């Protein structure tokens, strides 16, 4: 199925990656970073293992029950999203050196497709094992959770592959019909959920909302192919687990067989994908991250010049301007949508004051802040501001006569602006419907701003100390997805001390002064901000010295 020369290529790529990691570890900074990462991974992994081994039946927790019930629909939503967005096109891409080697050799389309699938599988299996260990308290067994992740991920990817391979043979009308059907099915699921929640007599809860989502007729129909994967989660080693694993393996093999039967144009798709990726990278490097049309665009300076402030002002100004140019009209559009949503919410509350319960109104602002944190994470992964920008855009910062910590502080401004704008936009409708006082809302917003600053500082810290980037640098690489997941994994680990310290200080303040939103929010925000100078100093020093280290 795969030529020995392609297996040799994979082996050489893996050895090159290991050599690069070895060179990084042999440096003092790399060794310290590796040690810190191992300690943090241990802190996250040991509690999961202890809880899984000491709990009598962790798989019967409310989270485990919701996870099992929602997995099929979540998998369908992921597959539908990959079809609508055309994610399979990017997954099929090979980098230019590989294309020169692969296309020059006597390899068939099946050989090249096998090579691409194996490279993805080699990265996905270790990641599935790590996720299974972290989620072990909510799985029935490590084997069941590992099989669910190891088989479910390739099943979704193969569905996207199949759509991408047959798309050139379909008419434009058929392609649009497939995409619209995928979108409309998710919309119908949302409408069914809304109707079920509207007609519900009991109080809202996580279990009730999850049941409303999964009990719809359309939701049950689209989830059928993914049900065997969910049954693997809570299965102990038994004949039933082996039966479900066999069914899942058969489904994966069936879709893979269909891919091999329709892979006649795989080489051409790979070449087109590389050209498309290179064009996109050039557009991103030029600052047009979201593909905003450059016609009739004027580079007019709308951001007032800041003061010197020890060198922080000029760096912050440049980062804010870069963030505005990279995101186009995203920030004003988000704020405008927030204002419109606030007006609609105010009108709805005036027409029907009882449309939301008191509990829902009291948690409106925290929910808005949580949603803004999630959206902010997605946007900042593509905005590429601060130390996560392309290296060629950062070189001149190293030549500025500014202290390293001042550069690091100014680098937070671009990402911080995006996150705070999102928080403001989502909090506007929440402020209209909330039953909390203005003092409580202000303290919650302060905690949200503190978290945004901490998040932006952590992104810069990870990028400056590890050299990792959320977006691909250089030529397209078959391991781009794996590196992006490693970046997100390292970023999550680096956030743990800040979040943990903020939570501990909020708990102590609540114990001493009384539990309230105001006390806990101010304590958590102040605690998170107090740790940021350490990150700024370390990231700034590492950034300034990186050229001397040869990075």
């Amino acid at each position: 199925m795969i030529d020995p020369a392609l297996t040799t290529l994979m082996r050489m790529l893996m050895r090159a990656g290991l050599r690069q990691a070895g060179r990084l570890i042999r440096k003092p900074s790399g060794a310290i970073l590796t040690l810190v990462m191992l300690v943090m991974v241990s802190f996250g992994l040991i509690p999961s293992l202890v809880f899984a081994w000491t709990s009598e039946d962790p798989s019967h927790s409310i989270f485990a029950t919701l996870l099992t019930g929602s997995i099929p629909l979540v998998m369908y939503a992921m597959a539908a999203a990959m079809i609508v967005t055309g994610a399979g096109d990017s997954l099929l891409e090979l980098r230019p050196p590989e294309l020169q080697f692969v296309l020059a050799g006597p390899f068939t389309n099946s050989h090249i497709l096998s090579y691409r699938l194996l490279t993805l599988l080699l990265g996905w299996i270790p990641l599935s094992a790590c996720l299974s260990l972290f989620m072990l308290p909510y799985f029935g067994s490590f084997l069941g959770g590992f099989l669910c992740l190891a088989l479910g991920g390739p099943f979704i990817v193969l569905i996207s592959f199949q759509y991408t391979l047959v798309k050139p043979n379909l008419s434009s009308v058929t392609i649009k019909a497939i995409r619209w059907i995928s979108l409309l099915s998710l919309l119908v699921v949302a409408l069914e959920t809304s109707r079920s929640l509207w007609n519900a007599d009991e109080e809202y809860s996580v279990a009730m909302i999850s049941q409303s989502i999964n009990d719809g007729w359309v939701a049950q129909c689209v989830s059928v192919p993914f049900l065997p994967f969910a049954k693997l989660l809570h299965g102990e080693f038994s004949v039933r687990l082996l039966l479900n694993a066999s069914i899942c393996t058969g489904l994966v093999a069936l879709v893979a067989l269909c891919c091999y039967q329709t892979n006649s144009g795989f080489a051409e798709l790979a070449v087109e994908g590389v050209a498309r990726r290179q064009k996109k990278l050039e557009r991103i490097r030029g600052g047009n991250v979201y593909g905003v049309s450059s016609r009739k665009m004027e580079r007019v300076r709308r951001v007032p010049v800041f003061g010197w402030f020890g060198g922080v002002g000029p760096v912050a100004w440049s980062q804010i301007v870069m963030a505005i140019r990279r995101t186009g009209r995203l920030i004003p559009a988000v704020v405008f949508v927030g204002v419109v949503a606030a007006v609609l919410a105010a009108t709805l509350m005036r027409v029907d004051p009882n449309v939301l319960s008191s509990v829902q109104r009291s948690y409106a602002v925290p929910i808005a802040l949580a949603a803004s944190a999630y959206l902010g994470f997605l946007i900042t992964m593509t905005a590429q501001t601060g130390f996560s920008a392309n290296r060629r855009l950062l070189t001149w910062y190293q030549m500025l006569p500014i202290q390293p910590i001042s550069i690091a502080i100014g680098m937070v401004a671009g990402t911080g602006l995006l996150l705070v704008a999102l928080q403001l936009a989502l909090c506007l409708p929440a402020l209209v419907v909330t039953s909390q006082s203005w003092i409580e809302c202000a303290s919650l917003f302060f905690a949200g701003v503190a978290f945004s600053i901490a998040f932006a500082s952590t992104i810069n810290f990870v990028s400056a100390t590890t050299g990792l980037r959320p977006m691909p640098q250089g030529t397209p690489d078959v391991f781009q997805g794996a590196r992006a997941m490693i970046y997100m994994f390292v970023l999550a680990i680096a956030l743990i001390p800040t979040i943990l310290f903020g939570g501990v200080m909020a708990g102590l303040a609540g114990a001493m002064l009384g539990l309230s939103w105001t006390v806990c929010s101010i304590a958590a925000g102040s605690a998170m901000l107090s740790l940021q100078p350490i990150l700024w100093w370390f990231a700034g020093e590492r950034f300034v010295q990186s050229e001397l280290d040869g990075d």
Side-chain angles (χ1 to χ4, degrees), residues 295-307:
R295 298 178 181 177
K296 299 181 181 180
M297 289 184 63
E298 297 181 0
R299 297 297 185 183
V300 181
R301 189 182 69 185
R302 295 188 178 92
V303 180
V305 179
F306 302 152

Side-chain angles (χ1 to χ4, degrees), residues 446 449-451 453-454 498 501 523-534 536:
F446 167 73
V449 172
F451 177 77
I453 295 174
T498 300
F501 184 65
S526 303
M528 288 188 290
L529 290 177
S530 65
L531 293 180
Q532 302 319 302
I534 301 175
W536 296 335

Side-chain angles (χ1 to χ4, degrees), residues 335-350:
V335 175
F336 175 76
V337 171
V339 172
V340 173
V343 173
L344 294 176
T347 304
L348 181 61
M349 292 298 296
R350 183 176 292 273

Side-chain angles (χ1 to χ4, degrees), residues 457-471:
S457 302
T458 306
I459 290 177
N460 290 338
F461 172 77
V462 172
S463 300
T465 55
T466 65
L468 296 173
R469 295 293 188 274
M471 295 290 288

Side-chain angles (χ1 to χ4, degrees), residues 413-432:
T415 306
L417 174 67
L418 297 175
L419 296 175
V420 173
L422 279 174
Q423 286 181 353
L424 178 63
L426 293 181
C427 283
L428 285 176
L431 291 173
V432 173

Side-chain angles (χ1 to χ4, degrees), residues 133-461:
L133 287 175
F134 276 100
M135 298 295 293
L136 188 58
Y138 310 107
F139 294 165
S141 64
F142 171 79
L143 179 62
F146 172 73
L147 290 176
C148 176
L149 296 176
L151 294 174
F155 184 62
I156 297 173
V157 172
L158 285 172
I159 292 175
S160 177
F161 273 8
Q162 179 62 57
Y163 170 74
T164 303
L165 291 172
V166 302
K167 189 167 59 174
N169 301 324
L170 301 177
S171 63
S172 59
V173 177
T174 306
I175 295 174
K176 289 181 179 179
I178 294 174
R179 291 180 174 179
W180 275 109
I181 290 173
S182 302
L183 279 176
L184 289 176
S185 62
L186 296 177
L187 178 61
V188 172
V189 171
L191 292 176
E192 286 182 339
T193 304
S194 301
R195 181 176 60 85
S196 177
L197 293 175
W198 185 270
N199 297 329
D201 296 328
E202 56 183 309
E203 290 189 6
Y204 290 165
S205 63
V206 177
M208 190 269 284
I209 294 175
S210 176
Q211 184 178 2
S212 300
I213 295 173
N214 298 310
D215 285 351
W217 182 78
V218 176
Q220 293 180 354
C221 291
V222 299
S223 301
V224 170
F226 307 95
L227 287 176
F229 298 93
K231 294 179 180 179
L232 289 174
L233 281 180
H234 286 192
E236 298 288 346
F237 184 75
S238 60
V239 177
R240 190 168 186 178
L241 176 66
L242 295 177
L243 178 61
N244 289 325
S246 301
I247 295 174
C248 295
T249 305
L251 291 174
V252 174
L254 178 62
V255 182
L257 179 62
C258 294
C259 290
Y260 280 104
Q261 294 296 324
T262 57
N263 66 352
S264 57
F266 178 75
E268 291 76 6
L269 289 174
V271 174
E272 294 175 2
V274 171
R276 184 172 55 253
R277 177 57 62 88
Q278 288 179 328
K279 183 177 180 181
K280 181 179 179 181
L281 289 176
E282 291 299 328
R283 173 174 58 78
I284 291 175
R285 293 191 187 109
N288 190 3
V289 178
Y290 295 96
V292 181
S293 176
S294 58
R295 298 178 181 177
K296 299 181 181 180
M297 289 184 63
E298 297 181 0
R299 297 297 185 183
V300 181
R301 189 182 69 185
R302 295 188 178 92
V303 180
V305 179
F306 302 152
W308 178 250
F309 299 112
V312 176
V315 178
W317 182 88
S318 66
Q319 289 300 305
I320 290 177
V321 172
M322 185 181 298
I324 293 175
R325 287 179 177 177
R326 285 182 176 273
T327 56
R329 299 181 177 87
L330 178 65
I331 295 177
V334 168
V335 175
F336 175 76
V337 171
V339 172
V340 173
V343 173
L344 294 176
T347 304
L348 181 61
M349 292 298 296
R350 183 176 292 273
V351 173
D352 187 4
N354 298 322
V355 66
L356 295 177
S357 64
S358 59
V359 176
Q360 294 170 339
R361 295 178 60 185
S362 62
Y363 284 96
V365 175
I367 291 175
L369 291 174
S372 66
Y374 175 72
L375 293 177
F377 168 77
L378 298 179
I379 292 177
T380 52
M381 290 296 101
T382 57
Q384 294 189 67
T385 58
F387 291 141
S388 64
N390 190 280
R391 294 178 184 272
R392 293 187 299 175
L393 301 177
L394 298 175
T395 304
W396 72 277
Y397 285 101
Q398 295 177 316
M399 300 182 291
L400 295 176
I402 300 175
Q403 293 294 325
I405 189 173
S406 299
I407 298 177
I409 295 174
M411 286 291 184
V412 178
T415 306
L417 174 67
L418 297 175
L419 296 175
V420 173
L422 279 174
Q423 286 181 353
L424 178 63
L426 293 181
C427 283
L428 285 176
L431 291 173
V432 173
V433 303
T434 186
S435 59
Q436 294 177 311
S437 64
W438 285 102
I439 298 297
E440 293 176 330
C441 294
S443 61
L444 285 169
F445 189 77
F446 167 73
V449 172
F451 177 77
S452 298
I453 295 174
F455 185 69
S457 302
T458 306
I459 290 177
N460 290 338
F461 172 77

